Amino acid sequence: MSHEANTRTPAAHGAGNISAGLYIALTMTAALTAAVAAQSSLLLTLPPWAMFMGWVAYFSRRPSVREGFQSWVGAVIGLCIGAVAVTATGILTPTLGAFAFPIVVFCVALTVISTRGLPFLNNLLGYFIGLITFFAAHLEPELASIVKLGSATAIGSVAGWAVQTIEKKVRSVVAA
């Protein structure tokens, strides 16, 4: 799961940089982590697909606790922006008709894209993952929806962190 540029799979590059056994072990670890995270989401009555959005958000930057947390925060902000966009579209549609939606999208895109200049929360993918998650969920634009989706994406981000951490530790043991 690591995003290291020099990591090669045995199947794709002969022997590569890791053995077939290590490749299989790391793959199984990631799959088991995904299964546990998905089942945890179900047990908590959270949508497993939204958990995977958190997993994607974690890996949208170089995997680390700091970057992963920033990506998750960006996704939650994206959820909030999505809720505001749905609310704004509903408020503006009676007045602006078919123009309400593109105007709201323009304002949302302008807001999100301008964050690329922020020193801390400048992960556009994180924001867009949150927006996509909110719109795909078709939930009411309310705090409970944001909490539900934010919790699911948090499980995914933690799962991504776990996979990355386990892989790093396993690789260091193997290298020693």
Side-chain angles (χ1 to χ4, degrees):
M1 290 302 306
S2 176
H3 286 350
E4 295 177 27
N6 63 353
T7 302
R8 298 180 186 178
T9 62
H13 299 284
N17 291 346
I18 63 174
S19 70
L22 179 57
Y23 180 79
I24 291 168
L26 295 175
T27 301
M28 293 294 288
T29 299
L32 179 62
T33 303
V36 168
Q39 184 63 19
S40 298
S41 296
L42 283 177
L43 292 172
L44 295 169
T45 66
L46 301 171
W49 67 266
M51 176 278 297
F52 282 110
M53 295 300 280
W55 186 304
V56 171
Y58 181 82
F59 286 105
S60 69
R61 286 283 203 37
R62 187 167 198 63
S64 72
V65 172
R66 182 176 187 265
E67 295 283 343
F69 181 72
Q70 287 179 13
S71 295
W72 176 75
V73 169
V76 171
I77 292 170
L79 293 171
C80 295
I81 294 169
V84 169
V86 168
T87 302
T89 302
I91 291 169
L92 295 174
T93 296
T95 306
L96 300 176
F99 294 108
F101 184 67
I103 289 170
V104 169
V105 169
F106 175 80
C107 292
V108 166
L110 187 64
T111 301
V112 170
I113 294 168
S114 69
T115 64
R116 72 187 184 284
L118 293 176
F120 179 72
L121 295 171
N122 59 0
N123 184 352
L124 295 178
L125 286 176
Y127 291 107
F128 281 114
I129 287 168
L131 282 163
I132 292 164
T133 302
F134 190 83
F135 292 131
H138 299 288
L139 297 175
E140 291 298 316
E142 57 192 20
L143 182 60
S145 300
I146 294 166
V147 169
K148 182 176 192 166
L149 296 171
S151 298
T153 57
I155 291 171
S157 290
V158 169
W161 166 81
V163 166
Q164 182 254 334
T165 300
I166 292 167
E167 180 174 334
K168 192 174 184 181
K169 288 183 191 234
V170 168
R171 285 178 180 273
S172 69
V173 167
V174 169

